[in-house]
Amino acid sequence: MKAIKRDAEATKARILLAAKKEFARRGLGGARVDEIAERAKANKRMIYHYYQSKEELFRTVLEEAYLDIRSAERKLNLDELSPTDALETLVKFTWNYYLKNPEFITLVNSENLHRARHLKSLPKLHETMRGLVDQVDNILKRGQKSGEFRSGIDATQLNITIAAIGYYYLTNRFTGSFLYERDLMDKKSLEERLAFNIDTILKLVSA
Amino acid sequence: MKAIKRDAEATKARILLAAKKEFARRGLGGARVDEIAERAKANKRMIYHYYQSKEELFRTVLEEAYLDIRSAERKLNLDELSPTDALETLVKFTWNYYLKNPEFITLVNSENLHRARHLKSLPKLHETMRGLVDQVDNILKRGQKSGEFRSGIDATQLNITIAAIGYYYLTNRFTGSFLYERDLMDKKSLEERLAFNIDTILKLVSA
DNA sequence: CATTTAATGCACTAACTAGTTACTTCTTTA
DNA sequence: TAAAGAAGTAACTAGTTAGTGCATTAAATG
């Protein structure tokens, strides 16, 4: 039975969600602890009670973000699809995940600005990541066997490329929309980009 | 004849260079004006004398950065090369520019975190950018005519993709090296990535 | 050489920010 | 039901940071 006025778990979760939004909006350096407290409808003291420091809170947010995207990825069950379908599904998924979770991109950018300092204390993520590369490697091998794909494609490079063509477009949507003088985020542009990305990847692997 | 102890131009330039480095290292929010002054071996008062505010200084740094990459791009004289060579040259150039000027990437990231707020007061950049897209469009048209390239390729999408496959790899080099458990920045990895990128683009356009 | 103009330096402030202290209020359980 | 422990609050601190006022010094000009 949950308490109404006092619920540690709920408060902790509210803080985490608020932190995710604030870190995504302003980056680690730009985020304000007071702002996170206000968004979470919690007292600032509670943040330090549950998460010790701003950096530790960031670390937790980052870990959650990576675990979430990888967990969603696993649910795709790519092994059950044909190699070509599997790859197309992965490209679509990656694109849509970035689109629906824009905070993921900002968090990763922020972490890279800090030279992956926080990630380094999260060794659990290695394994999760290895799984993804193995999965893509598997698709590639199946595709080669069936004659759909050419041989000699590096799974890590392909993975990076699939992420890159979506990530870059979305992370640079503001400067991009300005410089190319078109709204990169309207419905038509987004559909066009996704189609282009699928094309890029399929042409890259095809025999 | 240049003054020795007082040289407005030199001081101004030193401040700009120092600001570029500091903004690239920490982002707009994380950069410290005192640090810029120290790096520039100038008094903080001089920064405000020449650039009015931290944001105005950032704006200037950003404008310089965009003008510099576009100016370097123009020097490639892509129109004098065969379509395939021109495209390969552009992919190589983009990659090497990012590699040698890592601050460009960080500045762009920072500007996107701020929703391209500063860029919006720099209308001059539009024209410079239009030139680039036209140039790539020209290469595409020549390639289609010669039968090397397929038709129906959007120049803006291609441009974005050429930037994306290099940019993503390099901006995420810290998280990437950690997650993929390999040093993405050692000589061999960099060469491998460039080769993969050239391959990706050429397969994308080929007839 | 004298006067003006621009460059430079020091010391300051007003606002902000991560983190803490000291306290109150609620919930659980022996 | 009393006591202990956990959840929550408000006000504060110590340090930092962008931006300035004002005096000084060097170069330009007539």
Side-chain angles (χ1 to χ4, degrees):
Chain A
M1 211 181 343
K2 285 281 162 195
I4 296 163
K5 299 190 90 176
R6 294 196 164 194
D7 188 335
E9 287 305 306
T11 304
K12 219 177 150 181
R14 278 206 319 282
I15 290 172
L16 199 64
L17 183 68
K20 192 177 181 179
K21 285 182 186 160
E22 173 71 359
F23 284 134
R25 231 183 140 63
R26 316 268 185 208
L28 169 57
R32 296 291 160 246
V33 177
D34 284 293
E35 180 67 25
I36 293 170
E38 200 171 319
R39 273 173 188 264
K41 287 177 190 179
N43 190 279
K44 182 164 60 155
R45 194 66 190 80
M46 289 293 93
I47 293 175
Y48 290 94
H49 185 245
Y50 292 122
Y51 298 99
Q52 292 80 52
S53 70
K54 186 184 178 184
E55 297 236 340
E56 181 56 33
L57 178 57
F58 181 77
R59 200 193 314 280
T60 310
V61 166
L62 196 68
E63 183 175 24
E64 287 277 308
Y66 272 108
L67 291 176
D68 185 71
I69 187 172
R70 294 310 159 216
S71 135
E73 230 155 31
R74 260 195 304 275
K75 283 181 195 145
L76 296 175
N77 292 117
L78 299 176
D79 294 327
E80 294 168 11
L81 300 170
S82 80
T84 301
D85 284 352
L87 223 47
E88 184 171 331
T89 301
L90 183 59
V91 173
K92 273 186 189 164
F93 165 80
T94 305
W95 173 261
N96 284 318
Y97 189 90
Y98 291 163
L99 204 54
K100 284 178 197 155
N101 304 275
E103 71 281 358
F104 179 79
I105 289 180
T106 326
L107 290 171
V108 173
N109 280 345
S110 199
E111 177 63 357
N112 276 287
L113 189 61
H114 292 270
R115 307 181 154 241
R117 199 171 75 212
H118 310 88
L119 223 54
K120 279 170 186 160
S121 57
L122 300 173
K124 273 194 289 181
L125 290 178
H126 277 144
E127 296 147 44
T128 328
M129 210 59 190
R130 241 176 265 144
L132 175 65
V133 177
D134 289 351
Q135 207 176 16
V136 170
D137 199 42
N138 221 43
I139 296 171
L140 282 173
K141 281 190 178 114
R142 285 199 294 126
Q144 281 158 23
K145 207 173 243 171
S146 78
E148 290 166 72
F149 298 164
R150 66 189 172 92
S151 63
I153 303 165
D154 182 84
T156 302
Q157 296 291 359
L158 182 60
N159 245 316
I160 292 175
T161 304
I162 290 171
I165 54 184
Y167 190 105
Y168 175 88
Y169 184 97
L170 294 170
T171 193
N172 292 333
R173 61 195 186 278
F174 299 106
T175 53
S177 289
F178 174 81
L179 291 169
Y180 291 114
E181 295 173 280
R182 50 157 113 163
D183 179 6
L184 295 184
M185 296 305 284
D186 66 22
K187 199 164 172 282
K188 191 165 153 281
S189 295
L190 291 174
E191 282 167 6
E192 218 173 285
R193 182 64 192 173
L194 174 56
F196 193 92
N197 285 349
I198 293 169
D199 219 35
T200 301
I201 295 301
L202 293 184
K203 285 199 162 57
L204 174 58
V205 298
S206 82
Chain B
M1 211 183 342
K2 282 283 157 191
I4 296 166
K5 299 191 90 176
R6 292 196 165 195
D7 188 334
E9 287 306 307
T11 304
K12 220 176 150 180
R14 278 205 320 281
I15 290 171
L16 199 64
L17 183 68
K20 192 176 182 181
K21 286 182 186 163
E22 173 70 0
F23 284 134
R25 231 184 138 64
R26 317 267 185 210
L28 170 56
R32 296 293 160 244
V33 178
D34 284 294
E35 180 67 24
I36 294 171
E38 200 171 317
R39 273 174 189 263
K41 286 175 193 181
N43 192 279
K44 182 164 62 155
R45 194 72 191 75
M46 288 296 91
I47 292 175
Y48 290 94
H49 185 247
Y50 292 121
Y51 298 100
Q52 293 80 52
S53 69
K54 187 185 177 185
E55 297 237 342
E56 181 57 32
L57 179 57
F58 181 77
R59 200 193 314 278
T60 310
V61 166
L62 196 68
E63 181 175 26
E64 287 276 310
Y66 272 109
L67 290 176
D68 184 70
I69 187 172
R70 295 308 158 218
S71 136
E73 231 155 32
R74 259 194 304 275
K75 283 179 195 146
L76 295 175
N77 292 118
L78 299 176
D79 295 326
E80 294 168 11
L81 299 171
S82 80
T84 302
D85 284 352
L87 223 46
E88 184 172 331
T89 301
L90 184 58
V91 174
K92 275 186 188 165
F93 165 81
T94 306
W95 173 260
N96 284 318
Y97 188 90
Y98 291 162
L99 203 54
K100 284 178 197 154
N101 304 275
E103 71 281 359
F104 178 79
I105 289 181
T106 325
L107 290 170
V108 173
N109 281 344
S110 198
E111 177 63 359
N112 276 285
L113 189 62
H114 292 269
R115 307 179 153 243
R117 199 171 75 212
H118 309 88
L119 223 54
K120 279 169 185 159
S121 56
L122 299 172
K124 272 193 289 179
L125 290 179
H126 278 144
E127 297 147 42
T128 328
M129 209 59 190
R130 239 175 267 144
L132 174 64
V133 177
D134 289 350
Q135 207 176 16
V136 170
D137 199 42
N138 221 43
I139 296 171
L140 282 172
K141 283 192 176 110
R142 285 198 293 127
Q144 281 157 23
K145 206 173 243 172
S146 77
E148 292 166 69
F149 298 164
R150 66 190 172 90
S151 64
I153 303 164
D154 183 83
T156 302
Q157 296 291 359
L158 182 60
N159 245 316
I160 292 174
T161 303
I162 291 171
I165 54 183
Y167 190 104
Y168 174 88
Y169 184 97
L170 294 171
T171 192
N172 292 332
R173 60 196 187 278
F174 299 107
T175 55
S177 290
F178 174 80
L179 292 170
Y180 291 113
E181 296 174 279
R182 50 157 113 165
D183 179 7
L184 295 185
M185 295 305 282
D186 67 22
K187 199 164 173 278
K188 192 165 152 278
S189 296
L190 291 173
E191 280 168 7
E192 218 174 285
R193 182 65 192 174
L194 174 56
F196 193 92
N197 285 349
I198 292 169
D199 219 35
T200 301
I201 295 303
L202 292 185
K203 286 197 160 58
L204 174 58
V205 298
S206 82

